[in-house]
Amino acid sequence: MPLPTVPYHVDALSDQEHLAQARCFYELVNQRRTVREFSDRPIPEGVLEQCLLAAGTAPSGAHKQPWRFVVVRDPAIKKAIREAAEKEEHDNYDWRMSEAWKRDLEPLGTDEHKPFLEIAPALVVVMALKHGDAGPEAMHYYVQESVGIATGMLISAIHAAGLATLTHTPSPMGFLQKVLNRPSHERPFVLLPVGYPAEGCQVPDLHRKSLDEISVWV
């Protein structure tokens, strides 16, 4: 049976206003940078909740919304996550990663040490739901694609709120399921430390690809 419908409209804008809004959003997100040096300054009440609600507006396969955002603020749990993540990262840098991969990471200055996992006031673990909470019969579709879109929207919302984050993927991430005591149908997708940049925080002077490099018009 089809879902009930409601009217939908967009504001009537001039061509110049449409362009101005598109440019304004680009300029906002173009300021976003991955941050690995965090302050322990608390996030104001309600801010992270609004960011998660924004992420929850993402489109998804058959509107199943196959995501769950696990917010970690308990220092003991953050410590356990850091210890487990650094163990996996040690193995990654020691023998899992190819030499080419490590050379590509070298300019970014990353290594196995992840103090931000304890310093950032909140960690958001994005979980991809293999199926619904009711069981395997509650099927989900295009899970990776749907959760990826929601994660991108969450990152944008965090930046728009004046906070910083980074996409941390200490592969394999199965330890997050155990540390957080999550059910087997929830699979860790990405770990996002969230907070304010530390005083004097430095980020690489990166340059993004041009429009010509990232688009093809036919």
Side-chain angles (χ1 to χ4, degrees):
M1 173 180 259
L3 289 172
T5 61
V6 295
Y8 177 76
H9 72 278
V10 295
D11 293 335
L13 302 175
S14 68
D15 290 355
Q16 292 78 12
E17 288 171 323
H18 279 297
L19 178 59
Q21 287 201 2
R23 182 178 291 125
C24 182
F25 183 73
Y26 163 68
E27 290 174 351
L28 171 66
V29 295
N30 192 40
Q31 296 169 11
R32 186 203 59 78
R33 290 295 184 274
T34 291
V35 165
R36 293 180 173 85
E37 301 171 12
F38 284 87
S39 164
D40 61 359
R41 174 184 168 191
I43 298 170
E45 193 68 32
V47 173
L48 193 48
E49 288 87 339
Q50 293 300 310
C51 293
L52 297 178
L53 286 170
T57 69
S60 60
H63 194 55
K64 293 294 185 175
Q65 305 167 80
W67 45 68
R68 184 153 288 129
F69 307 105
V70 182
V71 182
V72 182
R73 294 182 293 187
D74 186 300
I77 299 177
K78 289 197 294 180
K79 179 180 174 62
I81 289 175
R82 177 185 178 182
E83 289 174 350
E86 288 186 336
K87 180 181 182 303
E88 296 295 352
E89 293 286 41
H90 175 272
D91 290 345
N92 286 336
Y93 282 90
D94 189 43
W95 57 271
R96 286 184 185 140
M97 290 178 178
S98 67
E99 291 305 314
W101 190 351
K102 286 189 278 191
R103 282 196 302 271
D104 285 339
L105 287 174
E106 191 173 351
L108 301 176
T110 63
D111 58 28
E112 66 190 74
H113 303 292
K114 311 297 178 184
F116 51 76
L117 293 174
E118 285 192 86
I119 298 171
L123 307 178
V124 178
V125 181
V126 181
M127 294 288 196
L129 275 58
K130 187 172 148 184
H131 54 71
D133 292 336
E137 65 279 3
M139 296 179 65
H140 285 167
Y141 314 95
Y142 299 105
V143 172
Q144 295 296 103
E145 295 86 347
S146 301
V147 177
I149 295 168
T151 299
M153 292 179 68
L154 177 55
I155 291 168
S156 296
I158 289 167
H159 175 69
L163 300 171
T165 188
L166 72 100
T167 52
H168 184 46
T169 51
S171 181
M173 292 192 287
F175 68 87
L176 288 169
Q177 205 169 29
K178 296 175 183 176
V179 171
L180 298 173
N181 195 29
R182 303 308 304 167
S184 61
H185 70 289
E186 293 187 13
R187 305 292 175 83
F189 184 82
V190 69
L191 170 55
L192 302 174
V194 182
Y196 294 94
E199 188 75 27
C201 174
Q202 296 285 312
V203 296
D205 184 16
L206 298 177
H207 299 279
R208 296 184 167 110
K209 292 181 178 180
S210 68
L211 181 61
D212 287 342
E213 293 174 291
I214 65 172
S215 65
V216 176
W217 300 66
V218 296

